[in-house]
Amino acid sequence: MAEKVLMKGNEALAEAAIRCGCKRFFGYPITPQTEVAAYMAKRLPKIGGTYMQAESEISAINMVYGAASAGVRAMTSSSSPGISLKTEGISYLIGSDLPCLIINVMRGGPGLGGIQPSQSDYWQATKAPGHGDGHILVFAPSTIQEMVDLVFDAFDLAETYRMPAMILADGMLGQMMEPVVFPEKEVVEHEKPWAANGHQGKREHNIINSLYLKPDELERTNRERFARYEIIKEKEARVEEYLTEDADIIVVAYGATSRIVRAAVKAAREQGIKAGMVRPITVWPFPAKAVAKAAETASRMLCVEMSLGQMVEDVRLAVNGKVPVEFYGRTGGIIPTPAEVLEQIKKIAGGAK
Amino acid sequence: MRKVLFPVIQYCKRLNIICGHYGSGKTNLAVNLVLDLKRQGKDVTLVDLDIVNPYFRSADFTEALESNGIHTINPMYANTNLDIPAIGPEVASVLEQKDRTAVIDVGGDDAGAAALGRYAQQILEDGDYAYFYVINRCRYLTRTPEEAAEILREIEFTSRLKATGVVNNSNVSYQTTSDTIISSIAYAEEVAQRLNLPLVATAYDRRLGKQLEAAGLVSNGYPVEIFVNPPWEEKTKVEL
């Protein structure tokens, strides 16, 4: 029977991946995600897997590229500056239609930034995970249990749609301890007839490639990929709604920040303010419909992030001017407190019609 | 002010070192111990010797402890944006000054214990120390007594010191119930037996005290305050 255990977020990510049948890990240490790699280094050799500490993030993502090309479940993990280094490889993975898992335990930026938690890589993850036309699936867990559950979904959907998936976590989630239960479900790896894993003289060569000599061929491939993205936007956007039914003020927050917002919303309710929260679980695809729906009943919205305002742009696009969308953010490694967020809610409530 | 001579306090010496798998709850235990030692009238210092965790560590309590007259020593870059696991020279002062009592919170696992190894010789020569191995039955990969015993062997190897007692600190964070504690007792006893060490305490959230005392199953009980909370929860006030 599945029992509840206490785990650190980073370890839970690693253990969940192993339970998904991912036995190939390529990485390079960086705080605050190092425990993902350390856990893999300890566990994978014991279960016939491969842990490879690459000489850089660039080579780590290219090892993932190689493993994924061969149809193997593979992953890498890093924190913000390390993800920047990986973006070239991520673009190649996108261009070659390869599934893999990338973990970003976000820290403060830009540049070397700092090691404290942050959510300032939202733009990078959702808009430009690499150069060129393309997207990756981006999941934004808010609890350690959800990190575990989303690792399972990330591998599954990455293979379903043949594209990289990212778990967009932050240092707070990576470093904290929480109870988790590992789901006892059978993991089914998808058939990969496209994999370059040896044709045994029985089929044509499979070629993994992102280079197209003819522009019309590249345009066609990109258009096909974007048609797939439309299906994903339609089917895979996920969201949690908390006390939204009668909410006058709706706060939008994702990841660890949503834990703080939840406490603030609860406190606002106790003070008679009808507050609610919409929490995107996928940030690409962004749950635009759910956010737009919230704008139909609320009179004002507030987006809270550990950044200077990134997701708020997607919120405003979804709301499309229907109601004002305010923003509150802390950055540089500062975690907003429930009291600060409550203060913002009260301020907005004061101005609400 | 609570001034109870819990069994674990009787096991304490001048230097009280806390090690364990990370996530066993060392920091929460360290903060409780340092407060209880202060309540006994000792001149106490809390040393954060953790070079592994970037945050969520005993340095988080510096201000609260200092305001209660408890001295603290932290790695100079603890809780900053710098990832430099450096330990300052001040740590040696608690080893030198024999009239000071200290609780030393060591980083998790063998990796964290390496920092302690640097002081092993001096601690051995001093001799007036307790070295507690904190265990948590709910912690992944330390769920069997064999696994828990193995981790101490790794910790002892890098810290170059032998543990003197086991502290059962079994918990599943905010989902801990009295059953969590009760079902950990046999495990803790077996870990202690395997290691040939005394089980000096079973720590538990003091709010579970009534149920546990009624069950009468916990010997060497150590009711503690939960100070280590996630950022969205209200902080428990640190006071004597």
Side-chain angles (χ1 to χ4, degrees):
Chain A
M1 202 200 96
E3 253 193 296
K4 201 166 280 171
V5 291
L6 193 63
M7 281 189 98
K8 194 170 194 169
N10 284 336
E11 292 177 312
L13 284 168
E15 178 61 28
I18 291 172
R19 287 177 185 233
C20 287
C22 175
K23 291 187 177 168
R24 306 287 178 260
F25 180 94
F26 310 95
Y28 188 82
I30 179 168
T31 305
Q33 69 78 51
T34 298
E35 292 88 356
V36 180
Y39 190 91
M40 287 301 200
K42 243 181 187 165
R43 293 294 291 163
L44 284 178
K46 290 183 184 160
I47 54 169
T50 307
Y51 166 84
M52 177 77 83
Q53 181 170 322
E55 75 270 27
S56 74
E57 286 87 347
I58 298 169
S59 65
I61 191 72
N62 282 296
M63 289 173 186
V64 172
Y65 184 39
S69 299
V72 168
R73 274 199 175 178
M75 70 182 284
T76 187
S77 168
S78 196
S79 289
S80 311
I83 296 292
S84 290
L85 283 168
K86 289 182 198 291
T87 53
E88 182 198 46
I90 294 172
S91 178
Y92 279 54
L93 282 148
I94 295 171
S96 307
D97 295 312
L98 292 174
C100 68
L101 179 64
I102 301 150
I103 287 169
N104 183 3
V105 181
M106 289 182 279
R107 58 184 253 181
L112 208 40
I115 63 171
Q116 303 286 328
S118 154
Q119 292 181 316
S120 48
D121 302 346
Y122 178 92
W123 281 337
Q124 183 188 49
T126 60
K127 314 292 177 200
H131 62 275
D133 283 326
H135 280 294
I136 59 175
L137 296 159
V138 188
F139 298 89
S142 71
T143 65
I144 297 183
Q145 183 65 55
E146 199 174 30
M147 292 219 267
V148 167
D149 298 338
L150 289 179
V151 164
F152 280 76
D153 296 340
F155 273 115
D156 183 46
L157 293 178
E159 288 181 2
T160 301
Y161 295 108
R162 284 187 62 183
M163 62 194 287
M166 177 181 274
I167 300 281
L168 190 65
D170 65 74
M172 204 188 330
L173 285 169
Q175 291 298 324
M176 65 183 265
M177 308 274 316
E178 270 195 316
V180 289
V181 177
F182 286 98
E184 286 192 3
K185 53 182 170 191
E186 210 184 324
V187 174
V188 185
E189 280 201 45
H190 295 243
E191 292 288 323
K192 292 164 183 164
W194 45 264
N197 54 358
H199 55 70
Q200 323 268 327
K202 290 175 185 156
R203 59 161 169 77
E204 286 296 300
H205 288 276
N206 281 338
I207 296 168
I208 307 293
N209 176 44
S210 66
L211 173 68
Y212 292 85
L213 297 181
K214 294 178 183 150
D216 60 335
E217 226 180 294
L218 178 54
E219 189 192 44
R220 184 171 46 76
T221 316
N222 285 348
R223 282 192 189 281
E224 279 169 12
R225 204 171 289 125
F226 268 66
R228 213 183 325 147
Y229 292 160
E230 285 309 312
I231 298 169
I232 296 168
K233 283 187 199 168
E234 199 55 46
K235 284 173 67 177
E236 307 298 347
R238 291 191 207 175
V239 72
E240 184 206 345
E241 285 162 345
Y242 175 67
L243 304 178
T244 50
E245 301 81 23
D246 64 336
D248 186 34
I249 291 162
I250 287 182
V251 190
V252 187
Y254 73 99
T257 305
S258 73
R259 308 282 291 267
I260 288 146
V261 168
R262 192 182 300 265
V265 163
K266 218 189 250 174
R269 286 266 168 180
E270 279 159 18
Q271 297 186 17
I273 301 168
K274 281 187 181 171
M277 175 174 73
V278 170
R279 174 175 76 87
I281 297 169
T282 55
V283 287
W284 197 92
F286 185 75
K289 275 186 196 160
V291 172
K293 197 186 101 207
E296 282 169 16
T297 49
S299 71
R300 269 164 195 266
M301 291 174 76
L302 168 69
C303 187
V304 181
E305 299 173 55
M306 283 194 285
S307 77
L308 287 182
Q310 301 193 5
M311 183 175 73
V312 65
E313 293 187 350
D314 282 338
V315 175
R316 285 183 178 137
L317 274 174
V319 167
N320 202 14
K322 213 160 212 168
V323 294
V325 178
E326 310 287 341
F327 175 75
Y328 181 71
R330 299 299 305 264
T331 191
I334 308 277
I335 302 170
T337 64
E340 279 170 42
V341 177
L342 176 62
E343 203 48 48
Q344 294 298 316
I345 294 174
K346 280 160 82 172
K347 209 167 86 187
I348 291 166
K353 282 169 256 168
Chain B
M1 187 197 287
R2 80 171 188 182
K3 190 180 169 182
V4 187
L5 200 57
F6 295 108
V8 65
I9 302 298
Q10 290 168 298
Y11 275 100
C12 284
K13 306 275 186 185
R14 188 175 81 77
L15 302 171
N16 304 285
I17 306 157
I18 296 173
C19 72
H21 193 33
Y22 58 94
S24 51
K26 294 181 297 298
T27 294
N28 200 65
L29 187 78
V31 174
N32 274 277
L33 266 187
V34 83
L35 285 166
D36 276 322
L37 288 167
K38 176 77 182 174
R39 288 173 189 132
Q40 299 297 323
K42 307 231 192 265
D43 175 16
V44 284
T45 302
L46 178 62
V47 183
D48 181 341
L49 208 62
D50 192 338
I51 52 159
V52 179
N53 277 316
Y55 27 88
F56 303 152
R57 53 189 299 150
S58 65
D60 296 349
F61 299 94
T62 295
E63 210 177 307
L65 291 172
E66 293 276 353
S67 70
N68 283 292
I70 293 166
H71 184 48
T72 57
I73 300 175
N74 299 311
M76 49 259 255
Y77 300 112
N79 285 345
T80 71
N81 251 337
L82 268 184
D83 197 5
I84 298 177
I87 288 168
E90 206 191 346
V91 174
S93 69
V94 296
L95 305 179
E96 296 290 345
Q97 292 171 282
K98 310 281 185 193
D99 54 339
R100 286 165 74 183
T101 300
V103 173
I104 304 172
D105 188 10
V106 181
D109 285 351
D110 47 341
L116 181 62
R118 181 246 173 272
Y119 304 100
Q121 194 59 41
Q122 214 174 339
I123 292 168
L124 277 171
E125 278 164 19
D126 185 289
D128 192 3
Y129 70 93
Y131 185 11
F132 299 126
Y133 176 43
V134 182
I135 57 171
N136 179 0
R137 193 182 86 89
C138 308
R139 186 70 176 88
Y140 197 68
L141 298 183
T142 61
R143 294 182 53 72
T144 66
E146 295 82 357
E147 288 172 324
E150 178 58 30
I151 285 180
L152 179 61
R153 275 189 281 273
E154 294 168 6
I155 289 171
E156 285 180 333
F157 181 76
T158 58
S159 68
R160 304 184 215 167
L161 283 170
K162 292 274 178 210
T164 61
V166 173
V167 176
N168 175 23
N169 196 42
S170 294
N171 74 89
V172 258
S173 186
Y174 47 80
Q175 292 182 4
T176 309
T177 65
S178 53
D179 280 342
T180 314
I181 312 295
I182 291 166
S183 63
S184 73
I185 303 286
Y187 158 87
E189 283 169 350
E190 202 187 323
V191 175
Q193 201 180 6
R194 273 179 179 271
L195 296 169
N196 199 20
L197 289 172
L199 177 62
V200 303
T202 288
Y204 55 84
D205 184 341
R206 66 168 183 82
R207 290 166 294 186
L208 299 172
K210 265 208 185 98
Q211 288 148 277
L212 288 170
E213 281 144 31
L217 289 169
V218 182
S219 57
N220 293 351
Y222 183 39
V224 294
E225 285 287 350
I226 307 300
F227 294 116
V228 177
N229 273 335
W232 49 88
E233 272 179 30
E234 228 168 284
K235 297 272 165 282
T236 310
K237 199 162 181 263
V238 176
E239 58 189 355
L240 289 171

